[in-house]
Amino acid sequence: MKKVFTILIITFLSALIFSGLLFTEFFQGLDSKLYDLMLRIRPGVEQDERLLIVDIDDLTITNINMYPLSRDIFADGIVLMKEFDPYWGVLDIEFVDRSPSGINLSVMNRRIPDEFSRTFSDIRVNQESFFQSLVEGRFPIEEAGPVIQQLSDFTLSEEQRLYSEVQQIARDNDEYLGLALKYFGNITSTVNMMDEKDPTITDDHRKYTEDTFALGDKLEIDEDGVDPFSMAVEIKPSIMKIISRSTTAGFPRVKIDPDGVRRRVDLIYQNDGNYYGQLGFMTYWNMMGRPTMSTEGNSLLLRGKEINIPLTQDGRMLIHWPKANYIDSFRHVSFYDLYRHDNLFNDLFFNLEQIEQEGLLGYPYYSGEINKMEYYRELESLKEQFVMAGDGSASKDYRAARDFLLDEVSSFLNGEGEAMILEDVETLSQYDDLTDEELFKI
């Protein structure tokens, strides 16, 4: 009997020792190396060609010469990406703090000059017409008082209107980015999991996040098992102007092993009795129709979808990485390409505006059916209205109209207009001694 008891004690102690060794750095490292080996043996993961990664890379930072990017630049990229007809966008950037106000370059460079030019032109025309009537005797001077008052009232109202327009130069970049996200459509923003309390999170902000983005009754924990998911002391959601325009939200937090490699990812975290999903997982779950989930042992089941996700003992999912490196996995586009597109488009029409001011953009140099600059101004004004309303329903129509406009510009630039302009310049250069009126008659 004593011998049997001794064997049991030895067996128990051996199991206890070896179980403890599993948590030492040596055995954890051995487990990681075994995982890496098995990953090399397994076939490569299938890459969905619909996925596109927009990189804020060295090319972006070097050429824009700004990091982090200001939120108005980021918003402009989001607006442009809407033209790709995307189904969903995932923001792997934490917008957790307010940003400084910025300058609306569109208002400053386009709208304000146009408004000042039109306003002062109207005032000048009214004044010239009035004084011309007085000089020619078509208007009795003794009756001029009410008209002068009308001109004064008109000038004052225009002054107030211009002041209101100038105020639009300053822009709340957080609000602009939020509207751009709403314009884009389906968006996943961040609500990160923290290890310390954050006194800057207001009760209203926290409650909105809990009520809107926690899994609630969509997740059922196995009553006979142990809750497998990690716990967070605090949540850190994106600012309200961002998260309130998001379809869903998730945490970007990923566990990094001691050797610097990411092999496991938390799919769900718990905070104060609420459960939140990982950024990509929440996007996938929403795209799948938000099915009810439940834990069954070491697995997470998506009911009705016949999807069973195995979990490790610490409640995480093992990552099956693609065999290629990052830049060769999935499709990529540099954010700088989006930024450069907008700059080239704006530069093109800035140059066309200079040509227009010289009277060289219309007949006989261009015989198309539209006034290109008026069409451009109207088109950009409508786009701005839709973006500021957070309404992306007309993005396809905008793209079609813009493509039509660019085709007309191409016809002008590649047609005979340039040769005709150069010929006229050569002809007029021979008459340097003539007045403008005489030159006009040639």
Side-chain angles (χ1 to χ4, degrees), residues 10-32:
I10 293 174
T11 301
F12 174 75
L13 289 175
S14 298
L16 185 64
I17 290 171
F18 279 101
S19 296
L21 287 174
L22 291 177
F23 294 94
T24 64
E25 184 174 341
F26 171 77
F27 277 94
Q28 287 180 347
L30 185 63
D31 175 68
S32 297

Side-chain angles (χ1 to χ4, degrees), residues 140-199:
I141 194 168
E142 59 271 11
E143 299 179 9
V147 178
I148 293 174
Q149 185 61 49
Q150 290 178 9
L151 288 174
S152 177
D153 292 343
F154 173 73
T155 302
L156 179 61
S157 67
E158 289 298 278
E159 176 188 352
Q160 294 171 344
R161 188 181 62 80
L162 284 178
Y163 178 72
S164 177
E165 290 287 346
V166 169
Q167 287 183 310
Q168 301 303 312
I169 292 177
R171 177 166 61 190
D172 183 339
N173 283 342
D174 294 334
E175 177 68 11
Y176 178 51
L177 176 55
L179 291 171
L181 298 178
K182 187 177 178 183
Y183 174 83
F184 183 91
N186 289 323
I187 284 287
T188 304
S189 61
T190 65
V191 49
N192 215 345
M193 303 293 112
M194 312 300 292
D195 296 326
E196 297 178 355
K197 280 289 185 181
D198 187 344

Side-chain angles (χ1 to χ4, degrees), residues 397-416:
D397 294 334
Y398 166 79
R399 178 175 179 175
R402 189 199 59 199
D403 289 346
F404 167 73
L405 174 60
L406 290 175
D407 287 340
E408 291 296 304
V409 171
S410 178
S411 298
F412 168 72
L413 296 177
N414 296 318
E416 299 179 356

Side-chain angles (χ1 to χ4, degrees), residues 380-431:
E380 291 304 291
S381 176
L382 289 173
K383 172 188 171 184
E384 183 176 3
Q385 291 176 33
F386 276 104
V387 172
M388 299 313 291
D391 180 3
S393 61
S395 60
K396 289 183 180 179
D397 294 334
Y398 166 79
R399 178 175 179 175
R402 189 199 59 199
D403 289 346
F404 167 73
L405 174 60
L406 290 175
D407 287 340
E408 291 296 304
V409 171
S410 178
S411 298
F412 168 72
L413 296 177
N414 296 318
E416 299 179 356
E418 181 179 1
M420 295 173 65
I421 292 172
L422 293 175
E423 182 180 346
D424 286 350
V425 169
E426 178 67 24
T427 300
L428 295 175
S429 66
Q430 302 174 19
Y431 303 95

